[in-house]
Amino acid sequence: MARKRRIGIMGGTFDPIHYGHLVTAERARGDYELDQVLFLPSGTPPHKPLDQVTDVKHRYMMTVLATLTNPYFEVSRVDIDREGKSYTIDTLRILKSIYPESELFFITGADAILEIMSWKNPERLLELSEFIAATRPGFCLENSSQQVVEWFKRNNKRLHLLQVPAMAISSTDIRSRVAQGQSIRYLVPEVVEHYIKKNRLYHSQHPDREGCDE
Ligand code: NAP
């Protein structure tokens, strides 16, 4: 029987995209033998006030620029072009209809995956896709609630943890470094660094991101 195509779905706000995200996607591609990784910048993140997220046109552009040189990476507008909040269950239903014969692997931060699964119908989510939860250094599943630990163990065929040391880099830290005039060199691809500078993103006065400082 022919092997099914395996597609990684890298969901995130990417505000901004950084090397931690890129290393996560590349690691997942290797470990799970993915044929392709689609990056999906979220349009309207379900759990964040809109005025705390940079305009999607910038987040999309930075994601395109950052992924340009990897032939396995592509950027999808699935979460951008549809109305309303980007609930992952809807994203996966759409992607399953576009790629009915493929196996999907949704990749994102472990905290976000716990949040997604806390919404209704986690069984359906796990039917539509396997999930790869990227963790930062120091993450220990056993520190989570008993319920979460058991749930991970019960679903360990479809739900995986991926430790990514490069996820020590964080978008929050990058935004705050820019706001304070500190260097972000080697945290993001050079082209993203230039894009941030050119568009004056993450400076406290930037009109696209009023009140962004956390
Ligand atoms: P977030 O709350 O901003 O991020 C949670 C953590 O995960 C952060 O530490 C973040 O680090 C990290 N992270 C985010 N995307 C990642 C990725 N692709 N790979 C590795 N780590 C990642 O989460 P978010 O970015 O808004 O959402 C992540 C995905 O989950 C999106 O596709 C979103 O639509 C989905 N989501 C869905 C629901 C739902 O359906 N109810 C709820 C929440 C999230 P950085 O800040 O450095 O990126």
Side-chain angles (χ1 to χ4, degrees), residues 4-166:
K4 283 191 173 175
R5 195 170 167 74
R6 295 159 77 90
I7 304 179
I9 314 292
M10 187 72 180
T13 309
F14 302 131
D15 194 13
I17 190 163
H18 54 66
Y19 277 126
H21 299 129
L22 296 168
V23 170
T24 299
E26 188 65 5
R27 274 282 311 279
R29 186 178 78 75
D31 290 7
Y32 293 90
E33 298 178 359
L34 306 178
D35 298 292
Q36 179 186 15
V37 180
L38 288 180
F39 282 69
L40 268 68
S42 43
T44 310
H47 55 314
K48 291 182 183 169
L50 251 193
D51 65 352
Q52 285 185 21
V53 181
T54 302
D55 192 312
V56 69
K57 73 179 182 225
H58 293 309
R59 294 185 289 110
Y60 174 74
M61 272 308 293
M62 290 189 282
T63 308
V64 169
L65 291 170
T67 53
L68 213 52
T69 54
N70 188 322
Y72 297 98
F73 290 178
E74 269 180 45
V75 185
S76 161
R77 295 185 58 92
V78 159
D79 273 355
I80 297 175
D81 290 340
R82 70 173 195 268
E83 298 279 305
K85 299 193 169 187
S86 316
Y87 289 110
T88 300
I89 186 87
D90 301 329
T91 307
L92 291 174
R93 283 192 179 121
I94 293 167
L95 290 171
K96 205 66 193 169
S97 69
I98 300 174
Y99 306 105
E101 299 304 328
S102 298
E103 291 176 351
L104 305 183
F105 293 75
F106 192 85
I107 311 159
T108 194
D111 293 349
I113 283 188
L114 290 178
E115 188 169 338
I116 296 165
M117 296 290 168
S118 71
W119 285 75
K120 59 187 175 200
N121 215 342
E123 289 77 18
R124 181 69 188 131
L125 283 161
L126 286 166
E127 278 167 20
L128 289 167
S129 177
E130 293 191 34
F131 281 75
I132 301 174
T135 63
R136 292 199 149 90
F139 177 88
C140 176
L141 181 63
E142 271 61 35
N143 289 343
S144 309
S145 71
Q146 185 70 14
Q147 191 192 4
V148 166
V149 175
E150 278 170 14
W151 181 73
F152 258 89
K153 286 187 177 155
R154 207 170 45 246
N155 294 293
N156 65 1
K157 295 232 163 27
R158 307 279 295 166
L159 184 53
H160 318 279
L161 284 173
L162 180 67
Q163 285 188 27
V164 186

Side-chain angles (χ1 to χ4, degrees), residues 178-180 200-207 209-213:
V178 174
Q180 292 169 42
R200 292 190 54 77
L201 302 183
Y202 312 125
H203 290 72
S204 41
Q205 299 308 311
H206 189 270
R209 201 168 203 285
E210 297 277 29
C212 66
D213 295 335

